[in-house]
Structures are given as C-alpha cells and as structure tokens.
Amino acid sequence: MDATLIWTAVFVISSFGLYIGIAIWARAASTDEFYVAGHHVPPVFNGMATAADWMSAASFLSMAGIVAFAGYDGSVYLMGWTGGYVLLALLLAPYLRKFGKFTVPDFVGDRYYSQAARIVAVICALFVSFTYIAGQMRGVGIAFANFLHVPVEIGVIVGAIIVLFYAALGGMRGITYTQVAQYCVLIFAFMVPAIFLSLQITGTPIPQLGFIGNAQDGTPLLMSLDRTLTDLGFQPYTEGVKSKLDVFAITLALMVGTAGLPHVIIRFFTVPRASDARRSAGWALVFIAILYTTAPAVAVFARSNFIDTVNESTYAADMPAEDRPADATPAWFYNWEETGLLGFTDHNGDGRIQYRADPETNEVTTLDRDIFVLANPEIGNLPAWVIGLVVAGGLAAALSTAAGLLMVISSAVSHDLCKKVLMPGMSEMRELLIARSAAVGAVIVAIFAGIYPPGFVAAVVAFAFGLAAASFFPAIFLGIFWKRMNKEGAIAGMLTGLLVTGAYIVHFKIGFSAVVIGVVALVLAAASGILYYGTRKQGDATTVPLYIAIALTLISALGLTGILPDLPTGSDEDWFLGISPEGFGSVGMLLSLAVSIVVALARRAPPQEVQDMVEEIRLPSPTSPAE
C-alpha cells in the first residue's frame, strides 16, 4: 500500500468511526428527537450543523470545479447560494421557528388549513429532495471511487449504505451532532490544501489574497491563466459567455431556491427559540463564508495546475514508474483514469496529451469537473496526508447533506403523510418505524439517481434549487407576509411552479423519451392518487378528480411499453428568453407567485383565526409558547 492510500484509509475510517459513534450516542428515542432534535440544539452548534448541511457535495466537490471551467460565469453559484442563505436567515427562518412545527409541509398544512395543501407540499418536498440527493450520492460515489479505486457506481452504493446507518438510527438529533463533526472535518480538509497551493503558486498563505495576487514569476495569476486558456482556444477565464438575463435568472433561482429548501429550513426547527434561529443563522453565515470565499481561489489553482501538468505531457501509463520520462503525465492522471471520470485518447498517435478547446484535436476526452477538488492535492504534488484528508472532507460534505435530505424524505412520508393524513391514530413507535423504512426506500432510489444523474453534481443541485424556488418559496413567503393568502392560491401556485419548472428541466436536460414520459406519468399518477385518497379521508373538499390519476396511469403504461413516441431533447437555441434550465426556477417562481395571488384574490379569504395566527408569528412576543 502506498502512503496516499494509507493516509486516506486512516482519515476516512477514523472520521466514519466518529460519525457512527456520535449517531449511537445521540440516537433518537422519540419522534420529537427524531424530527427536530427535541428543540434543544444550541445556536452555535446548530449554525455549524446548518453549514455542514448547506455545504454539500456541490459546495465542497463541484462548485470549485464548475468555477474552474466556467470562470466568470461560475460566479452565479457563489452569488446565488450565499445570497440565498442571507435571504433565508432574514425573511423566513425566525418566523418558521416561531410557528413551532416539525417540517415545511407541517407549516403549509396548518397555515393553509388544508390537507390538500399539506399533501401537495409533501409531493414538492419529495421531488426537491430526491433531485438534490442525486447530486449528493454522485459526490459520495466520486469520493469513494477515488479512495477505493473502483467505478463510481460501486462508490455510490458504499456511501449510501453508510449514510443510511446513522441517518436512520440517530434521526435529527444524531444527524445534528454528526454534522457538527462533519463541518470540522470538511472545512479543515478544504482549507489545508488551499493554503498549501496558495503558498506553492503565489507565495502567500491566504488563498483569497493569492487569488487576486501574482504567480511566482510576478505575472498576475488571473492574467496568466487568461493568456494560457486563450492560447489553447478556450474562453478567457475572466470573461463570461452567458447572457446577463441568464446570469440574473440563475442567481435568483439559487437565492430563492435556498429559501425554499426543506432540508435547510428544518434546521431552524431544532433550536429552543425563534431568537436562537436568528443567532444560529448568523453563526452559519460565518462558517459558510470560510469555504465560499476560498472556493474561487481553489478553482484558479486547479485549472492552472491541470494545464501545467497535463498539457503536452508524455502518456506513460504502461511504463514502470521508475522508467517514465521527465515530462511524463503525472501518476494522479492514471489513478483517476481507473474511475472512468478522466480519460485520454491519442488522436494523432504521438503519445503526448494535447488539451485543447477544439473537440477535434482535444485528447482529454473524458474530464469530469467534479473530480478537481479531490484531485487538486495530487495535481499540486502535496503530501499524502493532505490527499487523504481531502477525501475524508469530500465524504463528510456529501454525507452530511445526504443525511439531512433523508430526514426530509422520511419525515415527509411518516409524519406529514402517514401520521397527519393516512393514519392519524398510529402510535409514536409505528411512526418511527415508518420513518426509518422510508429512509431505506429513499436510499434505494438515491442509489439509482446517483448512478444515473442528469448532469454533474452542481448542475443537479441547481435543478433542485429551481424546483424549490418555484414550488415552496412563494407558498412560504406569502404564507408569512400576506394574511389574505388562502389554500386555493397556495395549492395552485405550488403545483404550477413544480410542474412547469420540472417539465422545462426534463425537456432540456433529459428529453421526454417514451420511458421518461412513462416514469413521470407514473409518479404523477401516484401523487394524484395520494392527493385524492388523503383529502377524501380527511373530508377536505379541495381535491383532484380520481379520473386524473387513472388517465396518468394509462399514459404511464403506454410510455413504459414504448407505444408513445419519443420527444427529442430541447436545444440551447430553444431556451425561453435564453434562460438555461439551471435558471428557469426563477421564471417558475414568478409564475407561481402570479398564479398564487390571482387565485387567492378570486377565492374567499382565510378564516379569521388563520389571519390572526399570521399576524402573531410576525410579531416579536417573548411570552409566546414558541419563544
């Protein structure tokens, strides 16, 4: 075993032992502890756990990778995700905590005095969470693939089994304290190589200053990278190609999507008081800023080092290490080839790697952007222990968010759907059993989603943000700040945003083949059936006709049997107003807001007690029970 593998094994095994030990120590004994950690988490710890939950595989693994290759255009992820958290902390978190519920569908169901609204919120939560968890499982798979030298598919399965163990055992209480440990691991793992690389490339130990400073030869680092990329036919790093409208749309979708993400919102239900929700949000911003201000520097270091070490190097994978020439491609390139995420094709037969923008002459034919944070220490020839630490950090980032998403899925099924709608009289122990069973089912689905994601990690996560922006944000925002908002408006808005945004993303990223149409129709049929049965059982007049579920089932059968025709995937030229799928959530959100307001004004106002409740949660009242 080489030193890198030994150090990686030490960090991964010891960190996982710590996570599992915490899960056993903090295992949930009641539904209150399973869903919201008993409302006993201190603000500083909750801020740290929120930061770990927030900084997923997309932040740790993929964000620096996408910024490294998108350059200026990648800044939308930095602006959208950080700005969104400020929006969430100021506008929503304290009021939702004061409301005093377990989950977002709990808030929607009670605020809109409707089981139909609750069920629609559950459906939205499941769509958003499953889309998001696909990105996390992909990140877990990439980290394990590098560590175990196995295909990424095997890595996804191994990671899913591990996260299931401590999520299902500890519930929110176990997850919270596990995420505190995971934050410490991931931020240390991100910062140490960043400091090393900054010293190596710019001579300064502060990555943020190195990013805007000079390379060792005295040339400004960004200017040097621009010149190198232009010589190879690429777009200059500091210039963008996206339209201003698309940049604005993506940034807005990520911002309001953040404020609608159920697995982030649920974190603010775990603190004792609404004032603690504000304090924990402030702490979380501090913890998040450490990574987000460092990521642009890591991106520049990665792109520069990759070009310097790979371009025009001699490919010598078949030679013993001691016989390779001085200009040989470094060993890390061959290691990553084994995962299938990096590949070389010698088009001209000269035995050297040419990295170019032109696909006809480019010989780096497989290049997954999500590998670059993990590969950065190897590219920079850093010590073996740093490489092992980064692998452990990547796993901590992916697993922390995956665990939070599993909590949203399991609580949506067990608490919001089964306990509140389908089986209101069931015992607490049965509810816990259903919650843990739902987590198992979610992991199985997440494995397939992680193996076959519709894009790289950050893009998949951006789709989840778009769905959250279009479905949850309008209902939550209007539910807090407009007491005239009623159940009909909320239901119409959530369904409109979810369906329109989901259809746009599927059309342009996957395409509506017959099988995809069948699967989508089957999911919608199941959702319609649940909505019909649940509202009838509870006597809620707001429902959908049963024939819609039957019609969707027939469409599903036609699609899955291949009878329906395949519809081609949309091209970039067909984007609505030039807005990409990553940014369409902002359009869906505006459409959802408009539909919600129009429908709400067309129907009766909410009952007076609901309007009084909305007034109450907006007022600072230390004597209220939630405080």
Side-chain angles (χ1 to χ4, degrees):
M1 292 177 68
D2 61 19
T4 300
L5 188 58
I6 292 173
W7 276 111
T8 303
V10 167
F11 281 120
V12 170
I13 293 172
S14 59
S15 61
F16 273 54
L18 175 63
Y19 306 153
I20 292 171
I22 291 173
I24 293 172
W25 165 74
R27 62 187 180 276
S30 67
T31 53
D32 194 47
E33 289 184 344
F34 190 87
Y35 293 135
V36 289
H39 300 297
H40 296 317
V41 181
V44 176
F45 281 177
N46 194 57
M48 201 174 291
T50 303
D53 206 351
W54 170 246
M55 292 188 297
S56 62
S59 294
F60 189 96
L61 294 178
S62 192
M63 185 174 65
I66 193 173
V67 174
F69 285 87
Y72 179 85
D73 286 337
S75 63
V76 295
Y77 291 90
L78 297 167
M79 295 187 295
W81 283 336
T82 50
Y85 193 82
V86 175
L87 184 69
L88 172 63
L90 295 177
L91 278 184
L92 304 183
Y95 306 112
L96 289 171
R97 173 61 192 92
K98 189 175 180 183
F99 198 84
K101 294 297 178 179
F102 279 170
T103 63
V104 175
D106 232 2
F107 166 79
V108 171
D110 287 2
R111 163 61 181 86
Y112 293 113
Y113 50 96
S114 167
Q115 291 292 60
R118 184 189 304 276
I119 295 170
V120 171
V122 169
I123 293 168
C124 293
L126 293 177
F127 269 99
V128 171
S129 299
F130 275 120
T131 305
Y132 205 141
I133 206 170
Q136 305 315 305
M137 288 296 103
R138 182 70 174 177
V140 171
I142 290 170
F144 268 115
N146 178 50
F147 168 40
L148 301 174
H149 296 286
V150 296
V152 68
E153 293 80 7
I154 302 298
V156 169
I157 295 171
V158 173
I161 292 172
I162 291 172
V163 73
L164 173 64
F165 176 83
Y166 68 80
L169 178 66
M172 182 56 78
R173 185 166 184 262
I175 286 173
T176 296
Y177 291 104
T178 300
Q179 286 173 336
V180 171
Q182 286 169 332
Y183 176 79
C184 297
V185 172
L186 76 87
I187 200 65
F188 191 63
F190 197 86
M191 293 303 299
V192 167
I195 292 170
F196 267 105
L197 290 169
S198 185
L199 279 168
Q200 183 185 88
I201 296 173
T202 69
T204 175
I206 303 174
Q208 292 86 343
L209 296 180
F211 169 67
I212 58 174
N214 296 336
Q216 294 286 23
D217 62 0
T219 307
L221 183 60
L222 290 174
M223 183 184 297
S224 176
L225 181 57
D226 271 353
R227 186 168 57 242
T228 300
L229 289 173
T230 303
D231 291 343
L232 298 177
F234 292 98
Q235 179 77 15
Y237 192 83
T238 55
E239 295 181 12
V241 296
K242 289 183 179 294
S243 67
K244 290 183 179 179
L245 180 60
D246 193 28
V247 168
F248 176 81
I250 296 174
T251 304
L252 179 61
L254 295 177
M255 286 181 66
V256 295
T258 299
L261 282 178
H263 79 284
V264 175
I265 291 173
I266 199 174
R267 290 244 51 96
F268 296 102
F269 296 152
T270 63
V271 292
R273 296 173 297 275
S275 57
D276 291 328
R278 292 187 180 91
R279 280 195 286 270
S280 64
W283 279 111
L285 278 170
V286 172
F287 295 133
I288 289 169
I290 297 173
L291 186 144
Y292 269 63
T293 56
T294 308
V298 172
V300 171
F301 300 155
R303 191 74 183 276
S304 301
N305 271 343
F306 178 78
I307 295 172
D308 291 343
T309 58
V310 171
N311 188 43
E312 299 297 342
S313 64
T314 300
Y315 187 79
D318 297 331
M319 295 183 188
E322 60 273 12
D323 297 335
R324 291 172 184 167
D327 66 342
T329 307
W332 68 265
F333 191 98
Y334 314 129
N335 293 336
W336 278 100
E337 275 192 300
E338 295 177 13
T339 68
L341 301 172
L342 186 62
F344 160 63
T345 302
D346 194 0
H347 291 312
N348 58 15
D350 66 352
R352 302 175 72 85
I353 299 177
Q354 276 83 42
Y355 177 54
R356 302 289 187 270
D358 184 0
E360 297 295 325
T361 58
N362 178 42
E363 296 183 336
V364 183
T365 47
T366 303
L367 180 57
D368 194 306
R369 301 175 184 183
D370 294 332
I371 72 172
F372 271 86
V373 168
L374 291 175
N376 225 359
E378 297 176 81
I379 298 173
N381 201 27
L382 299 184
W385 67 268
V386 178
I387 299 171
L389 178 64
V390 172
V391 174
L395 289 170
L399 293 177
S400 62
T401 303
L405 291 166
L406 285 179
M407 277 305 307
V408 169
I409 293 168
S410 62
S411 62
V413 172
S414 61
H415 180 74
D416 298 310
L417 189 59
C418 294
K419 176 73 173 178
K420 293 287 188 175
V421 178
L422 302 179
M423 297 176 282
M426 69 177 177
S427 66
E428 187 173 286
M429 290 305 297
R430 188 176 183 185
E431 186 179 351
L432 274 176
L433 177 62
I434 293 175
R436 286 170 171 145
S437 300
V440 174
V443 163
I444 294 173
V445 175
I447 288 173
F448 287 99
I451 293 174
Y452 304 108
F456 52 91
V457 173
V460 176
V461 169
F463 301 150
F465 277 71
L467 292 174
S471 58
F472 271 133
F473 178 76
I476 297 172
F477 178 77
L478 293 174
I480 292 173
F481 294 103
W482 189 35
K483 64 182 181 180
R484 177 66 176 75
M485 183 66 176
N486 55 27
K487 62 181 180 180
E488 292 86 359
I491 293 170
M494 285 190 290
L495 289 176
T496 300
L498 181 69
L499 293 175
V500 172
T501 305
Y504 191 88
I505 290 171
V506 171
H507 175 58
F508 286 106
K509 300 304 293 187
I510 303 174
F512 281 103
S513 66
V515 173
V516 170
I517 293 173
V519 171
V520 171
L522 183 62
V523 172
L524 293 177
S528 301
I530 292 171
L531 187 58
Y532 173 79
Y533 176 75
T535 49
R536 279 195 65 196
K537 187 178 180 68
Q538 297 294 325
D540 192 330
T542 311
T543 186
V544 295
L546 181 60
Y547 65 78
I548 291 181
I550 296 173
L552 287 168
T553 304
L554 292 175
I555 294 172
S556 172
L558 294 174
L560 294 174
T561 54
I563 296 176
L564 293 178
D566 292 337
L567 300 178
T569 305
S571 65
D572 297 0
E573 290 78 16
D574 299 326
W575 287 352
F576 175 73
L577 298 178
I579 297 174
S580 63
E582 291 87 348
F584 192 78
S586 58
V587 178
M589 181 270 296
L590 294 174
L591 182 61
S592 176
L593 276 173
V595 169
S596 298
I597 293 170
V598 169
V599 173
L601 291 174
R603 303 302 294 266
R604 287 187 301 178
Q608 189 59 45
E609 61 268 21
V610 172
Q611 298 188 47
D612 293 341
M613 176 185 65
V614 174
E615 291 281 2
E616 168 66 19
I617 65 173
R618 290 209 310 268
L619 296 175
S621 50
T623 58
S624 70
E627 286 286 326

